[in-house]
Amino acid sequence: MTSHQNTQTMKPATAAKKLGVYLEATPADFREGAVSRAELNELQANPPQWLQELRRNGPHPRPVVAAKLGVSIAGLARAGVTEPLTTEQIEALKKEGPEWLERERATQAEVRKEAERIKKKNAERQA
């Protein structure tokens, strides 16, 4: 019995998610074909100019926007931020410091604090 090594591929949307970039902003040849695991590893190890530019300036997908603003994805949705934002737009929001952003950051801080408390409590239980 022989074992055949099949090349594992993924959809462009999955690869874009793993790379942390907004799919619609990627080049057409990236969006139109499957991406192999080896190609993904190569993109991560040696990002081409277009990938470096997207990571630097955006537009960024919601998880990246949320992380850069220090809020949750749900917090973005509650604030009505549904479109991808560029780095410039994110920085402008940080400078403006709108009320919703401060509220969502406080909520996120409480969530993290509670998660840490539960983690500590579970660790004590295990000991």
Side-chain angles (χ1 to χ4, degrees), residues 13-63:
T14 304
K17 187 175 183 179
K18 289 180 181 287
L19 293 169
V21 295
Y22 182 57
L23 178 63
E24 300 305 316
T26 60
D29 60 333
F30 180 85
R31 287 192 309 263
E32 293 167 359
V35 179
S36 72
R37 177 65 63 187
E39 290 169 331
L40 178 67
N41 290 341
E42 179 61 26
L43 286 170
Q44 289 172 325
N46 301 306
Q49 185 63 37
W50 65 265
L51 182 54
Q52 291 174 25
E53 188 67 24
L54 275 178
R55 286 178 169 166
R56 190 177 316 113
N57 299 321
H60 303 288
R62 282 182 306 186

Side-chain angles (χ1 to χ4, degrees), residues 69-72 74-80 97-111:
L69 290 173
V71 299
S72 66
L76 287 178
R78 283 190 292 271
E99 186 266 331
W100 70 264
L101 181 57
E102 298 307 318
R103 184 178 62 243
E104 291 299 335
R105 282 181 170 170
T107 300
Q108 189 70 4
E110 286 297 317
V111 167

